[in-house]
Amino acid sequence: MRLNLNQLAIFVQVIECEGFSAASQVLFLSQSSVSKQVQNLEIALRTQLVDRSGPKIRPTLAGKVLLAQTKEVLALADQAVKAVHAAALLGEEPLTIGSTSTIGGHFLPPVLLELRRREPALQFSVAVSTAEQLAEALEEGRTGIGLTGSPLPPGRYRSERLLSEDMLLICPADHPLAGQDLTPADLADETFLLRECGSQTRRQLTDLLQSWELSGAPTLDLWGTEGVKEGVRIGLGVGLVPRRSVRLELRHGVLAELAVRPAPEGRAVTVNWTLARPLTAYEQMLLPLLREVTRAPGHDIPAPRRPPA
């Protein structure tokens, strides 16, 4: 048999209001109509769901079981309605993916390529900003999905870690320290290239210099990962970048890694979505796609083996 969602909703309201009369006022139905719908539900299930013997309506044991299941069923029905409404907007609303700059530049392209393959007619864009600005965009509903290095504060967001990527200190290929096992003290004479203010990479490098007792080392501010890479290439200093962003330069001998111990900690790639509004159909499609692409063989760039310390 198939249950009637309308009868189930009326049953829940009767139990929560502890009476047919109170439920009828909430539902804007006559008391007799409310009572009849609950009776029909009991007839269909061939069991008593409501104890009518006391001054207040109470569910029977069977009614308690049905009540718990019904709330889940009604919640799923609401989600189905929202999904249908979101699907009706397909082709009308473009997909905007929020991202911090490093992730948007080096992590997202394979995802976007697969998205274009699956949905060639979809109009999408990447809105690059700081993590703080991205949180505001999610809060205001300007985007429903955002990618950051760290989870956004819980409460109004949900976050899921997709993968962890290596962070490494890079230098020119002909740097005298390239290929050596180093301690932080070996880097005392180096200039460190910092990302712009608000960058998570900048915070990580400044924290790293402090832990290495090199907080007084000379620094130079540049913009973006590409700016740091180019600055390192021409000899302005050394810089901290995700391994993914320099895989080609390392492979072709344009840049080299400074193998310092303790090494920089890896950094997560995290997807965040807002609880302030339901995700659109395309945003719902993007979440499993992000998981699928990031977990595909060959997506991660493994770190090279280092000799034992």
Side-chain angles (χ1 to χ4, degrees):
M1 65 168 294
R2 292 187 178 181
L3 295 173
N4 184 302
L5 286 180
N6 185 52
Q7 290 177 351
L8 290 173
I10 291 174
F11 165 72
V12 170
Q13 200 65 61
V14 167
I15 298 302
E16 291 183 344
C17 291
E18 299 181 330
F20 292 100
S21 178
S24 67
Q25 295 177 22
V26 173
L27 296 168
F28 298 101
L29 297 172
S30 67
Q31 181 174 339
S32 60
S33 178
V34 171
S35 179
K36 184 63 175 177
Q37 291 296 331
V38 174
Q39 288 176 5
N40 289 340
L41 183 60
E42 290 177 320
I43 291 171
L45 290 172
R46 299 180 181 179
T47 187
Q48 184 178 354
L49 301 171
V50 176
D51 183 353
R52 300 166 174 81
S53 62
K56 291 184 179 180
I57 290 297
R58 301 186 307 276
T60 63
L61 178 58
K64 291 179 180 178
V65 172
L66 180 63
L67 181 64
Q69 298 292 328
T70 296
K71 289 184 176 180
E72 295 184 14
V73 169
L74 295 177
L76 288 173
D78 287 342
Q79 290 179 18
V81 171
K82 292 177 181 178
V84 169
H85 289 165
L89 297 175
L90 292 183
E92 301 176 10
E93 293 290 336
L95 172 64
T96 300
I97 307 168
S99 176
T100 53
S101 59
T102 301
I103 294 173
H106 303 286
F107 168 79
L108 266 181
V111 177
L112 301 180
L113 180 63
E114 181 62 17
L115 184 61
R116 173 59 53 83
R117 186 188 71 80
R118 297 186 185 187
E119 299 290 339
L122 171 62
Q123 297 295 317
F124 58 82
S125 62
V126 178
V128 176
S129 62
T130 65
E132 291 78 10
Q133 293 168 336
L134 180 54
E136 291 179 4
L138 286 168
E139 186 74 19
E140 295 170 2
R142 288 182 276 119
T143 183
I145 298 288
L147 293 154
T148 58
S150 300
L152 294 179
R156 295 191 64 81
Y157 311 101
R158 287 181 181 169
S159 300
E160 178 181 330
R161 180 172 175 163
L162 294 172
L163 56 83
S164 179
E165 57 182 355
D166 289 340
M167 298 295 291
L168 63 152
L169 206 60
I170 56 171
C171 64
D174 59 356
H175 195 287
L177 297 180
Q180 300 184 34
D181 290 330
L182 306 172
T183 65
D186 296 322
L187 304 176
D189 296 328
E190 299 296 328
T191 296
F192 292 87
L193 306 184
L194 297 176
R195 287 278 307 275
E196 67 280 1
C197 292
S199 163
Q200 183 180 353
T201 305
R202 179 190 181 97
R203 290 193 294 270
Q204 184 176 0
L205 181 52
T206 54
D207 290 345
L208 194 60
L209 291 177
Q210 186 172 4
S211 70
W212 284 348
E213 298 183 351
L214 294 176
S215 55
T219 60
L220 177 63
D221 286 10
L222 294 175
W223 184 269
T225 300
E226 294 302 318
V228 171
K229 287 165 54 178
E230 181 62 12
V232 170
R233 187 188 70 81
I234 65 176
L236 283 177
V238 300
L240 183 70
V241 296
R243 182 176 299 278
R244 185 186 311 276
S245 69
V246 290
R247 60 190 185 280
L248 295 180
E249 289 86 351
L250 294 176
R251 184 180 302 163
H252 295 291
V254 177
L255 298 172
E257 178 182 358
L258 290 172
V260 59
R261 293 180 179 276
E265 292 184 359
R267 191 170 66 188
V269 174
T270 305
V271 59
N272 310 270
W273 60 99
T274 177
L275 301 179
R277 67 164 175 80
L279 296 178
T280 67
Y282 277 134
E283 288 168 346
Q284 292 179 33
M285 181 186 71
L286 180 62
L287 277 174
L289 177 60
L290 286 166
R291 301 180 188 116
E292 178 183 335
V293 173
T294 55
R295 294 169 188 172
H299 185 80
D300 270 335
I301 307 300
R305 293 182 177 273
R306 293 178 179 172

